[in-house]
Amino acid sequence: MELSGAQILVQSLIDEGVEYIFGYPGGAVLHLYDALFQQEELKHILVRHEQGATHAADGYARATGKPGVVLVTSGPGATNAVTGIATAYMDSIPMVIISGQVSLPVIGSDAFQEVDMIGITRPCVKHNFLVKDVTKLAETIKKAFYVATTGRPGPVVIDVPKDITAPQITVPYKYPKKVSIRSYNPVVTGHKGQIKKAVDLLLSAQKPIIYSGGGVVLGEASKELIEFTHTLGYPITNTLMGLGSYPATDKQFIGMLGMHGTYEANMAMHESDVIIAIGARFDDRVTGKLDLFCPHAKIIHIDVDPASISKTVKVDIPIVGDVKPVLEQMLELIRESKKKPDGIAMANWWNQIRQWQAVNCLEYDRQSPLIKPQYVIEQLHEVTKGDAYVTSDVGQHQMWVAQYYPFNKPRRWINSGGLGTMGFGLPAAIGVKLAFPDENVACVTGDASIQMCIQELSTALQYNTPIKIINLNNRYMGMVRQWQEFSYQSRYSHSYMDTIPEFVKLAEAYGHVGMRIDKPEEVRPALEAAFAMKDRTVFLDIMTDQTENVYPMIEAGKGHHEMKLRVATGTSTDRELA
Amino acid sequence: MRHIISILMENESGALSRVAGLFSARGYNIESLTVAPTEDASLSRMTLVTRGSEEIIEQITKQLNKLIDVVKLIDLAESFHIERELMMVKIKTTTGEMRDEVRSMADIFRGKIIDVTPTTYIVEMTGPSEKLDAFLAAIDPDSVIEAVRSGPTGISRGEKGLHL
Ligand SMILES: Cc1cc2nc3c(=O)[nH]c(=O)nc-3n(C[C@H](O)[C@H](O)[C@H](O)COP(=O)(O)OP(=O)(O)OC[C@H]3O[C@@H](n4cnc5c(N)ncnc54)[C@H](O)[C@@H]3O)c2cc1C
Ligand SMILES: Cc1ncc(C[n+]2csc(CCOP(=O)(O)OP(=O)(O)O)c2C)c(N)n1
Ligand SMILES: [Mg+2]
């Protein structure tokens, strides 16, 4: 079969099993768009801004585990995609981004809409390819998917010069079933000796804690993690990226750890004598001040990426491998072992943890006449029976979802953790809804974040993706304002906009339903009404308490044991900010 | 500590910039870097001299290994190895006295005079970097028009080698 480069690209994606491609056309990809037009298998989703394409593909990837695919034109199309590529990179999300490029003979001549996409994206991709020969195109695409989805996943860019896709030049087409790359061989199973050492250490622990992260989601190892944790009976905490991979309502779960984690999780980390880190990368939001990090603990670390191990925190027993087989290997050894967890030590340890839990660090003022954002999230949890896909933007609202929406399944909580990209939530929700049209999909956002990709409301209408947008409208960049309150004597420098749009009208202008909610008692009925409208995108503009802060918190330069807790202040009637 | 890392990588156009980019993005220092194709034309070999604590060197080797284009690498400083650097120095030799002086210095350091003009000599010299430093220290600095150095390259001793 002889095909043009454009046809090869489209056919390769179909043969790879790609369902959706999120894109935006332009000069350098016109041949490709023509090839897309002439087929029906591969569905193209036209976004309104290339950043939206990357986040939508990313949301799709996070929810399904399959790679998200993006198509953008050269120059501005390519640069607009960079934020979304970096977002996926930081959270290790598998994506393949196809960018148009000027024709090979004019590369380097500052041609119209030329940018060095390979150079620009090098630091924020797992790998990138410039296609220089149409006969290598299919193989390059296969390699891109292979690299993006194996080992530690990540985004891969394929830069395709326009002449490579020209309809006049056809070459034989065959999509390779398999590729191998001699310089790329991700490790799968763990080193037996290391695993044995780790199991020994785990079983002799007095104050152990399991600290697991996004790697468990990425490695589809939720089932193994649950079995592992139940077998040991140890407490478990998750990072922001790991939420849902262990059921939040399970009694061994002690909440998220880190900057806005629970008091009990952070105290348990601080006091622990053995930590097993599973698919987590000791991020600075998690560790707090490094010198104060877990002073008494021996650390075991399972990670598929050797570079994640001992990067910021030196570990005692590193295990390089894929979390699922490694946990299976460990479980087998634990079951065979004569040694059992120390019952008395564990009773004492749990006793201590229950005392920390009694502090009730997530309590907030439930009597307030103002709408508390925490209350909205709790209601969202109830109305969606704890089973919705929830995307978020970045800020306080993101933390409140992490704290007040207990996720019991992996891939339900979809947010930008590593890069913290405002604008992520709405397009990501569209990607999720396309993947799971029958599931409830909510986007929890803030008055500032939502405006960064608001144009995608138009995409939501075009493709009929009925999502529910929950705007926790505090008329502030709340997270910035909170830091300014704590660290800059409440000098609220440019964290406020007094010209926030009327979101209800905006939603309506985009063809959706908009509702404004001003009173606590309106929250529940509004949520119920929104989710009852199965076929409409609904924008709930919820006026929340402006002064609310995210507690507890580890402030900059502090350790896990130095959390700032909420001081009971009674009602906050008169705390409305100017 | 000073480390000399030898890297076998795909001979692809972007490969070098991936290594250089990694060092600048992560704030590692590069003292020198040499690269050339190997006997297998699909591979090139890079020798990179860097300095850092144990932890930093460990991260450097891990991050380098993570680059898809990197096939293999070794830290030569971890075992017995031989290092050589090539230098060419252009020296002003306007008088007979200067010519004699340079010739005898070149002899002592086992350098070769590879080019002669009425007013200059070019001396070629290979050896460990310290030997080249010593030569430059031994001659009159005002007479040096320019010196070019390749940066060190190295190879491990014994039967082990860096190949596929
Ligand atoms: C405003 C804001 C506040 C935040 N506050 C917090 C906070 O309080 N607490 C918190 O936890 N985070 C917080 N974060 C998120 C934080 O920035 C990091 O993104 C997050 O902590 C990283 O999670 P992780 O360690 O699970 O790593 P991830 O980024 O999810 O990385 C996964 C790790 O697992 C490895 N891995 C991948 N696949 C596999 C596999 N198959 N097998 C084995 N290993 C694998 C990877 O190599 C990597 O090391 C916050 C972010 C924002 C924007
Ligand atoms: C693209 C981008 N720019 C700036 C920031 C820094 N930032 C983090 S949170 C935040 C404010 C978010 O405000 P809002 O969306 O209203 O959420 P809130 O904190 O009020 O819930 C800002 C500006 C960011 N994370 N991303
Ligand atoms: Mg806000």
Side-chain angles (χ1 to χ4, degrees):
Chain A
M1 189 174 30
E2 294 247 331
L3 297 179
S4 73
Q7 291 169 322
I8 289 177
L9 213 148
V10 171
Q11 194 56 45
S12 298
L13 295 179
I14 293 169
D15 290 346
E16 184 61 44
V18 175
E19 200 182 357
Y20 290 108
I21 180 165
F22 299 86
Y24 206 89
V29 288
L30 282 178
H31 298 321
L32 276 167
Y33 271 84
D34 197 43
L36 278 173
F37 188 84
Q38 299 182 38
Q39 57 85 48
E40 268 163 15
E41 248 175 291
L42 180 60
K43 290 182 267 287
H44 179 272
I45 304 297
L46 176 70
V47 293
R48 300 299 182 267
H49 184 301
E50 289 85 354
Q51 182 181 352
T54 52
H55 293 330
D58 184 331
Y60 173 91
R62 290 180 202 237
T64 61
K66 294 190 267 181
V69 184
V70 174
L71 173 59
V72 295
T73 191
S74 69
T79 53
N80 270 351
V82 172
T83 299
I85 296 172
T87 302
Y89 179 71
M90 290 296 278
D91 291 340
S92 307
I93 305 304
M95 294 219 300
V96 172
I97 303 93
I98 296 149
S99 52
Q101 183 52 281
V102 299
S103 289
L104 281 168
V106 296
I107 285 184
S109 67
D110 300 324
F112 177 63
Q113 297 195 326
E114 178 182 2
V115 292
D116 174 12
M117 185 61 167
I118 297 293
I120 286 177
T121 59
R122 194 188 305 115
C124 60
V125 292
K126 185 168 172 191
H127 196 55
N128 54 25
F129 297 94
L130 172 65
V131 181
K132 289 185 183 157
D133 177 354
V134 64
T135 64
K136 301 249 172 71
L137 182 57
E139 188 194 330
T140 305
I141 293 167
K142 184 77 201 175
K143 279 186 180 167
F145 278 93
Y146 172 57
V147 171
T149 55
T150 50
R152 178 179 186 166
V156 176
V157 164
I158 313 176
D159 204 26
V160 186
K162 186 168 185 180
D163 48 346
I164 294 283
T165 59
Q168 301 83 355
I169 302 160
T170 60
V171 295
Y173 168 76
K174 193 165 171 271
Y175 194 62
K177 284 208 170 58
K178 261 186 79 175
V179 282
S180 65
I181 302 177
R182 62 180 174 184
S183 54
Y184 174 72
N185 302 293
V187 182
V188 179
T189 53
H191 186 279
K192 286 213 180 82
Q194 291 293 92
I195 288 179
K196 176 145 195 335
K197 270 201 258 172
V199 167
D200 277 349
L201 178 62
L202 268 178
L203 292 177
S204 55
Q206 306 287 296
K207 297 175 178 181
I209 183 162
I210 301 166
Y211 143 51
S212 74
V216 176
V217 178
L218 298 164
E220 306 283 358
S222 202
K223 185 171 139 274
E224 289 72 15
L225 178 68
I226 295 169
E227 220 173 311
F228 178 81
T229 308
H230 284 169
T231 307
L232 288 168
Y234 294 172
I236 177 168
T237 177
N238 282 171
T239 66
L240 182 72
M241 302 316 289
L243 295 177
S245 62
Y246 191 87
T249 52
D250 181 284
K251 63 182 188 313
Q252 279 170 256
F253 186 66
I254 59 170
M256 180 170 84
L257 81 167
M259 182 174 278
H260 291 300
T262 63
Y263 179 67
E264 49 271 30
N266 286 325
M267 287 305 289
M269 285 293 284
H270 188 75
E271 294 295 328
S272 66
D273 68 343
V274 174
I275 296 171
I276 176 162
I278 308 175
R281 59 183 174 84
F282 296 85
D283 183 81
D284 51 75
R285 306 266 121 166
V286 162
T287 58
K289 191 175 166 63
L290 281 174
D291 302 341
L292 301 172
F293 180 74
C294 300
H296 321 291
K298 286 242 180 303
I299 305 175
I300 304 163
H301 187 186
I302 307 173
D303 204 295
V304 75
D305 177 5
S308 272
I309 294 175
S310 293
K311 181 168 64 179
T312 52
V313 172
K314 185 117 186 95
V315 306
D316 301 281
I317 307 181
I319 302 172
V320 177
D322 182 4
V323 59
K324 190 183 183 109
V326 170
L327 282 179
E328 281 167 353
Q329 286 172 282
M330 292 188 92
L331 262 169
E332 205 181 306
L333 276 191
I334 292 170
R335 291 206 181 102
E336 285 168 3
S337 169
K338 288 204 190 65
K339 203 149 121 191
K340 298 287 162 221
D342 183 336
I344 295 169
M346 286 315 297
N348 288 336
W349 183 222
W350 272 112
N351 200 13
Q352 168 69 74
I353 291 171
R354 298 296 173 221
Q355 285 174 29
W356 287 323
Q357 284 175 323
V359 167
N360 233 337
C361 68
L362 293 180
E363 202 39 57
Y364 64 92
D365 174 14
R366 290 169 194 275
Q367 259 57 69
S368 171
L370 303 175
I371 301 176
K372 287 290 180 179
Q374 300 93 328
Y375 172 74
V376 178
I377 304 301
E378 285 176 348
Q379 292 303 307
L380 174 67
H381 181 254
E382 279 185 25
V383 169
T384 57
K385 303 193 170 54
D387 209 27
Y389 286 82
V390 183
T391 72
S392 88
D393 271 297
V394 173
Q396 293 181 317
H397 60 274
Q398 177 186 24
M399 293 299 109
W400 285 319
V401 182
Q403 295 176 328
Y404 296 91
Y405 195 112
F407 290 93
N408 280 338
K409 292 180 193 161
R411 301 197 177 282
R412 298 275 154 151
W413 166 229
I414 290 168
N415 80 131
S416 164
L419 200 68
T421 309
M422 291 168 70
F424 176 81
L426 170 57
I430 294 172
V432 176
K433 189 71 185 175
L434 283 165
F436 298 109
D438 299 329
E439 301 283 338
N440 283 329
V441 179
C443 163
V444 176
T445 183
D447 45 300
S449 292
I450 190 63
Q451 296 188 67
M452 285 216 179
C453 273
I454 191 101
Q455 75 286 346
E456 301 308 330
L457 281 174
S458 177
T459 311
L461 185 69
Q462 181 172 356
Y463 298 98
N464 186 25
T465 53
I467 54 179
K468 313 302 167 198
I469 297 160
I470 321 286
N471 186 30
L472 298 182
N473 191 340
N474 52 9
R475 285 83 72 209
Y476 265 101
M477 295 175 197
M479 185 58 92
V480 174
R481 190 201 55 72
Q482 174 169 347
W483 282 63
Q484 290 171 335
E485 179 185 330
F486 289 178
S487 308
Y488 299 88
Q489 289 85 47
S490 299
R491 289 189 296 277
Y492 297 141
S493 179
H494 303 277
S495 53
Y496 177 71
M497 291 170 283
D498 54 7
T499 49
I500 292 175
E502 276 186 49
F503 288 112
V504 169
K505 280 192 189 159
L506 194 57
E508 285 168 359
Y510 275 109
H512 302 303
V513 180
M515 293 189 235
R516 181 182 155 123
I517 293 100
D518 289 287
K519 297 196 196 79
E521 61 272 21
E522 295 167 3
V523 170
R524 177 72 181 231
L527 282 167
E528 279 169 355
F531 282 96
M533 283 184 251
K534 291 276 172 220
D535 55 353
R536 297 299 295 276
T537 288
V538 182
F539 194 116
L540 296 183
D541 190 18
I542 306 181
M543 299 300 143
T544 58
D545 181 354
Q546 288 194 287
T547 64
E548 192 52 278
N549 288 326
V550 184
Y551 287 105
M553 177 175 184
I554 304 174
E555 289 186 278
K558 295 280 168 78
H560 279 158
H561 58 305
E562 300 171 306
M563 285 204 97
K564 184 180 176 113
L565 296 171
R566 179 187 297 279
V567 215
T569 50
T571 61
S572 43
T573 338
D574 42 55
R575 286 170 62 218
E576 186 86 357
L577 293 168
Chain B
M1 244 241 316
R2 175 179 180 276
H3 286 254
I4 173 158
I5 300 171
S6 204
I7 307 164
L8 205 57
M9 55 199 301
E10 298 292 349
N11 193 2
E12 303 262 353
S13 56
L16 176 62
S17 56
R18 288 183 208 280
V19 173
L22 172 73
F23 273 72
S24 63
R26 294 190 182 264
Y28 308 140
N29 80 57
I30 300 186
E31 240 166 58
S32 74
L33 189 154
T34 71
V35 58
T38 64
E39 60 282 8
D40 174 348
S42 70
L43 292 170
S44 57
R45 184 161 171 154
M46 182 182 282
T47 310
L48 194 152
V49 178
T50 180
R51 267 173 210 281
S53 63
E54 283 299 303
E55 292 78 38
I56 293 200
I57 299 296
E58 185 181 326
Q59 264 299 309
I60 290 179
T61 54
K62 283 174 169 177
Q63 293 291 349
L64 282 169
N65 261 316
K66 203 168 142 177
L67 294 177
I68 307 289
D69 284 338
V70 169
V71 181
K72 248 183 196 174
L73 62 85
I74 47 167
D75 182 350
L76 289 174
E78 280 178 354
S79 57
F80 292 116
H81 69 280
I82 292 169
E83 273 180 55
R84 286 291 179 273
E85 181 173 359
L86 167 72
M87 172 169 74
M88 290 185 277
V89 203
K90 189 187 292 174
I91 303 168
K92 224 180 330 181
T93 48
T94 38
T95 65
E97 204 175 295
M98 287 166 103
R99 280 192 283 273
D100 291 346
E101 167 75 15
V102 171
R103 225 177 359 232
S104 73
M105 272 303 172
D107 271 351
I108 296 170
F109 282 85
R110 293 175 205 278
K112 278 192 290 193
I113 291 167
I114 55 170
D115 186 62
V116 176
T117 71
T119 54
T120 62
Y121 275 180
I122 294 177
V123 177
E124 174 201 305
M125 191 173 292
T126 58
S129 307
E130 308 80 68
K131 172 178 143 179
L132 311 188
D133 295 341
F135 176 75
L136 289 177
I139 58 175
D140 173 10
D142 292 337
S143 70
V144 176
I145 298 172
E146 61 176 331
V148 287
R149 300 173 65 150
S150 65
T153 177
I155 194 162
S156 62
R157 295 190 56 206
E159 284 179 19
K160 270 200 305 198
L162 184 64
H163 35 66
L164 278 180

